[in-house]
Amino acid sequence: GAQQGAQQGAQQGAQQGAQQGADDAQASEEHEPCALRMLLEAECASGLHTRGSRVLCDPSAALSLVWLCRSMRFALATLAGIIAGDRTAPLVGIARAAYKAELEPHQTFWLKQTFRAGLSAMPSRNDFLGRLAPFATDRATRDATCYADLEAYVELLSRALDAVASILASLDLDDQRKA
């Protein structure tokens, strides 16, 4: 008796919880943007950002996305530098050049110093490639596999970042403050 009543109560509670979850999901779909452009448009429409102000509301999805894109552009420039030209160049120099182009203009003095110190800990090219393909049987196979994979990744990441940058630009969303 008591155990059966408890089981029925638990089942009813689970059913009510599942229904509430479905109701919440439907309400969420009706009231919240479900795509990146829609989210950013909703932030703009709400007055969160002033068109062309070059200062985005903090916190906001737009500001987070601007910084995500900057960080991913740094990663992209580093990886593109690894696969381009001189494939014997030290990674620390490649990463420093990528940092200077992509992140340094947006950072304050102290953050610049922190990044410079961190970049000095970049692994050697051989160690980096070895970590990407730890089971490669020989160096030539490892390098060929890693460079081919990196080239494909750089191409895809570049297209994805260009698409996001296009959305941000079309909505005139950028933040020129230094972090």
Side-chain angles (χ1 to χ4, degrees), residues 23-131:
D23 292 345
D24 290 348
Q26 183 178 5
S28 176
E29 289 174 11
E30 293 170 3
H31 301 291
E32 295 179 2
C34 60
L36 182 60
R37 178 178 289 281
M38 290 173 62
L39 172 63
L40 297 173
E41 288 172 346
E43 282 191 351
C44 292
S46 74
L48 199 59
H49 309 295
T50 303
R51 191 168 183 90
S53 76
R54 301 296 177 232
V55 175
L56 299 174
C57 183
D58 187 8
S60 68
L63 182 60
S64 297
L65 195 57
V66 164
W67 276 103
L68 176 64
C69 284
R70 288 174 181 166
S71 299
M72 294 304 295
R73 290 263 183 221
F74 162 68
L76 177 66
T78 301
L79 294 174
I82 290 170
I83 60 176
D86 180 8
R87 291 196 171 168
T88 62
L91 297 191
V92 66
I94 293 168
R96 283 184 177 147
Y99 172 74
K100 185 174 179 108
E102 301 298 336
L103 286 177
E104 187 178 77
H106 308 287
Q107 295 183 330
T108 62
F109 172 80
W110 293 111
L111 197 49
K112 289 176 186 179
Q113 301 309 311
T114 303
F115 248 88
R116 287 182 185 137
L119 291 175
S120 65
M122 288 288 291
S124 70
R125 182 180 292 264
N126 190 51
D127 287 346
F128 178 74
L129 295 174
R131 291 176 190 159

